[in-house]
Amino acid sequence: MPIQVLPKHVADLIAAGEVVERPASVVKELCENALDAGAAAVTAEIRGGGVRYIRVADNGGGIAREDARKAFLPHATSKIGTADDLEKILTLGFRGEALPSIAAVAKVQVLSKTANDEHGFCYEIAGGEEISLEDAGCPAGTTFIVRDLFYNTPARVKFLKKDVTEGNFVGAALERLALSRPDVAFTFIREGKQVFQTPGDSSPASAVRAVLGKLFYETLLGVKNAHNGVEVTGFVCEPAAARPNRNMQYFFLNGRYIKCPTASAALGEAYKHSLMQGKFPACVLHITMPPGLVDVNVHPAKTEVRFADDRPVFSAVYQGAYQALNAGVAMPVGAAALSRPLETKQTRIDDLAGGCGQLPLQTSFLRDPGEFSSPLAPERDEPSLIKRPFSDLPPVPQIINYQLSIVNCIELFNTYFLAEIGDELMLIDKHAAHERILYERLKAGQGAVQRQVLLEPLPLHLSREETAVLLENNALLEQAGFLIEEFGADAIVLRECPLLLVGADLNAQAAEIAGFLLAQKGDLTTGALDWIFHSAACRAAVKAGDPTTAYERERFVEKLLAMPEIRHCPHGRPVMVTITKKELEKRFGR
């Protein structure tokens, strides 16, 4: 094929594909333009997940009528003029690609007026082609209305997700923008319903509370630190409020939301001795540094940056978070908590969860009283190995020769059972075996999993995006034994959970499930339910390090031997290793 210059509309569609991935991309670009225009208030509204309708209105500087057409030309920008300007970028947008890219794949209407103009204008453009430019009465500022996204590129539409999912992406983008600029009043309206509104009072704490909710806000500690020209301010969560994923880590660099592995690693190092493995701290951290020391022009979405030197950033974040966790000045940021001593932080966490909405472990329904106890067994204070219900497990069958009883059943490293059974020595991984037993119970009860109604509904500490994905998959969760309901405008509560999870960390379980669902690239299948069963079984199973008694160990081994199908955990690892007496004799040369 001979070399040719692409027609304008084809080139525009290619450029749009790089900038406009989904409705969230449009909302983000238009809101960033509003912030760069000096807006003190921004309203974003979507319908049909943003595919059908987007409106972004601001009270910024506006667009002059003579610049209306020019604004939609490729590489048209008022934010940089020379190559030197790339060394000190402080605006959110600067490429001049957003408006022409949006107009290439949608029907766009712009109403705008500058403070000095007597009248505003209305400009309409669709598929990159101008429709009209007329005078119009409107307040100072700019309003963009975008309809029928990808109407002229149907192949792009099939890659979009359901409206509710696309709306979740829009909400997540707006959350980041609102957190990045507490001095701007953001309002988000979705399908005619106001989702959140920030006061725009320049208080980072106010923005966090309005966007992420009161429950999350109440778990935060203030951070303020400077190191080698890098300043870090904001909030980190108390260790008790850590999460099973990094979905609630928000980093902002010079007012721009970024994905920052350096800052995330520093945060993890600060919490190194405060969290269990598999837990991650939540944060809202603002990093400020000279713009010449960072390159923001390395990714089309501008969410990835390159530092001239990572070390000052790492040190500033690490020191700030560490001081918040360990220094007396690191007080909770909640207004009601400022007068409380640090010693009351854990109590406050428990109070917020309403006692966690869970029943205490010693309640009688947790296990059959006769299953792991005996009139001959001595009273004991140690925690029971089997913390979850086992009443529906089959009894030990008569095929086991009780003349070959379990003897010398001991525990190694608080992790493995070592039992002599006839001419065999069995090594059992107690967590792996228990996990597989619970997994099989859940799987067998698919669609009719035994549930427990919580004494008090449990508020779930989740991001808005996680909340939305759980509500979207409510039917799937009910199959797994969870009942969640909306609670107010921007929160959900857990009312029922699988019986075997009573006493477990249900907030962490919900966050783990939400993270999994958000990570799915295609439609959910039965594999998603299977994954939830795996996750619940792992969380409910006894852990390495939990102490046991000799009686509990023997009863558990009997149960395990009665279930020949339980020989591997859900992850495929063996639950037991058998060594015969003959093998031992051979090893010792007998």
Side-chain angles (χ1 to χ4, degrees):
M1 181 179 293
I3 295 175
Q4 60 176 329
V5 177
L6 290 174
K8 177 182 178 298
H9 73 281
V10 177
D12 288 346
L13 291 176
I14 294 173
E18 297 175 351
V19 178
V20 183
E21 180 184 1
R22 55 181 7 112
S25 309
V26 175
V27 173
K28 173 180 176 291
E29 295 288 352
L30 295 180
C31 286
E32 286 183 347
N33 280 348
L35 295 176
D36 286 342
V42 178
T43 297
E45 179 182 3
I46 63 169
R47 300 174 197 161
V51 179
R52 183 161 54 91
Y53 178 89
I54 294 171
R55 178 176 67 91
V56 175
D58 69 68
N59 62 353
I63 304 172
R65 192 183 196 282
E66 58 268 24
D67 289 333
R69 293 187 176 94
K70 192 185 299 182
F72 286 87
L73 295 176
H75 314 304
T77 180
S78 60
K79 301 168 186 179
I80 63 172
T82 68
D84 292 339
D85 292 336
L86 291 174
E87 301 297 322
K88 51 181 184 298
I89 293 173
L90 289 173
T91 54
L92 295 171
F94 55 87
R95 295 169 182 262
E97 297 176 351
L99 295 186
S101 295
I102 295 168
V105 291
K107 301 171 183 176
V108 179
Q109 183 181 50
V110 187
L111 289 159
S112 189
K113 176 183 175 298
T114 66
N116 297 326
D117 288 337
E118 183 178 355
H119 302 288
F121 67 86
C122 177
Y123 182 57
E124 293 189 52
I125 182 172
E129 299 297 326
E130 178 181 318
I131 296 176
S132 65
L133 174 60
E134 300 174 348
D135 289 341
C138 57
T142 303
T143 297
F144 278 91
I145 297 175
V146 180
R147 294 184 173 89
D148 302 332
L149 187 63
F150 301 135
Y151 79 101
N152 56 347
T153 54
R156 297 283 301 279
V157 176
K158 68 181 180 181
F159 289 99
L160 295 177
K161 297 183 181 295
K162 298 176 183 177
D163 286 354
V164 65
T165 304
E166 292 299 335
N168 293 343
F169 286 124
V170 172
L174 285 168
E175 286 177 2
R176 295 162 186 161
L177 286 164
L179 291 173
S180 73
R181 292 291 300 273
D183 59 318
V184 176
F186 273 89
T187 302
F188 176 35
I189 301 170
R190 180 174 178 177
E191 311 301 337
K193 177 182 176 181
Q194 180 174 299
V195 178
F196 68 78
Q197 184 175 47
T198 61
D201 59 1
S202 298
S203 167
S206 295
V208 170
R209 180 166 182 158
V211 173
L212 301 179
K214 178 178 180 290
L215 291 175
F216 177 76
Y217 163 81
E218 291 285 353
T219 69
L220 299 179
L221 304 169
V223 173
K224 186 172 184 178
N225 184 56
H227 178 80
N228 285 354
V230 178
E231 183 179 353
V232 177
T233 60
F235 314 103
V236 294
C237 77
E238 295 172 318
R243 299 167 54 79
N245 53 51
R246 295 186 176 90
N247 287 345
M248 292 285 277
Q249 290 186 358
Y250 297 91
F251 297 104
F252 303 93
L253 175 65
N254 294 340
R256 182 196 306 276
Y257 170 79
I258 61 168
K259 297 175 182 177
C260 190
T262 299
S264 185
L267 194 64
E269 189 66 21
Y271 279 78
K272 187 174 183 179
H273 301 296
S274 302
L275 297 181
M276 294 172 52
Q277 187 175 3
K279 291 283 190 176
F280 302 92
C283 71
V284 179
L285 291 177
H286 296 262
I287 304 169
T288 305
M289 62 189 300
L293 299 181
V294 58
D295 184 2
V296 300
N297 193 26
V298 297
H299 189 273
K302 300 183 285 292
T303 55
E304 298 175 11
V305 299
R306 183 185 296 117
F307 297 110
D309 187 356
D310 289 350
R311 289 170 295 181
V313 177
F314 184 97
S315 297
V317 172
Y318 170 78
Q319 291 174 7
Y322 187 87
Q323 290 166 6
L325 288 170
N326 297 281
V329 296
M331 296 293 289
V333 301
L338 288 175
S339 60
R340 295 189 178 112
L342 287 175
E343 290 75 21
T344 66
K345 289 192 295 184
Q346 185 59 51
T347 302
R348 179 163 56 84
I349 294 290
D350 294 338
D351 289 343
L352 284 172
C356 291
Q358 301 170 24
L359 298 179
L361 283 176
Q362 60 266 30
T363 48
S364 60
F365 71 84
L366 277 178
R367 64 177 188 270
D368 181 346
E371 188 173 7
F372 291 100
S373 60
S374 164
L376 302 178
E379 292 291 325
R380 55 188 186 273
D381 297 325
E382 298 95 328
S384 169
L385 164 64
I386 306 304
K387 297 180 178 179
R388 315 291 175 232
F390 261 86
S391 57
D392 61 347
L393 285 180
V396 179
Q398 297 302 313
I399 59 171
I400 293 182
N401 187 343
Y402 284 100
Q403 292 179 352
L404 300 178
S405 59
I406 300 169
V407 295
N408 299 327
C409 189
I410 64 173
E411 186 165 11
L412 306 176
F413 314 118
N414 280 332
T415 303
Y416 306 101
F417 293 165
L418 180 63
E420 178 186 343
I421 306 174
D423 286 340
E424 292 183 334
L425 190 65
M426 282 192 171
L427 275 166
I428 298 169
D429 184 327
K430 67 181 183 184
H431 172 75
H434 194 197
E435 180 184 10
R436 178 59 186 270
I437 290 172
L438 296 180
Y439 167 71
E440 292 297 334
R441 280 189 58 204
L442 286 169
K443 195 172 180 180
Q446 187 172 138
V449 174
Q450 283 185 298
R451 301 184 188 184
Q452 173 61 42
V453 178
L454 303 182
L455 284 177
E456 297 179 9
L458 174 65
L460 297 179
H461 305 173
L462 303 173
S463 70
R464 210 174 305 274
E465 193 175 17
E466 290 170 330
T467 295
V469 79
L470 289 185
L471 289 173
E472 181 184 350
N473 291 280
N474 213 339
L476 176 70
L477 293 174
E478 286 202 44
Q479 280 188 279
F482 298 91
L483 178 61
I484 62 170
E485 292 180 359
E486 291 187 78
F487 188 74
D490 58 356
I492 57 175
V493 294
L494 181 68
R495 294 194 179 275
E496 298 179 18
C497 72
L499 189 58
L500 63 85
L501 278 176
V502 172
D505 187 344
L506 296 175
N507 250 299
Q509 178 72 80
E512 190 169 81
I513 293 173
F516 167 78
L517 295 175
L518 286 171
Q520 298 308 291
K521 301 300 183 184
D523 292 334
L524 294 173
T525 63
T526 53
L529 187 60
D530 208 48
W531 183 93
I532 294 175
F533 288 155
H534 279 184
S535 174
C538 184
R539 191 169 294 278
V542 65
K543 304 296 187 292
D546 290 347
T548 59
T549 67
Y551 181 81
E552 290 170 328
R553 292 192 288 271
E554 290 179 11
R555 299 292 77 74
F556 183 70
V557 172
E558 283 183 354
K559 287 284 185 182
L560 186 60
L561 293 178
M563 305 174 72
E565 72 277 12
I566 308 296
R567 293 300 177 262
H568 293 84
C569 78
H571 307 287
R573 297 190 296 270
V575 303
M576 65 173 66
V577 175
T578 302
I579 303 175
T580 65
K581 180 181 178 183
K582 187 174 182 179
E583 287 177 299
L584 283 174
E585 290 175 339
K586 184 177 179 181
R587 289 289 186 96
F588 287 100
R590 286 184 174 271

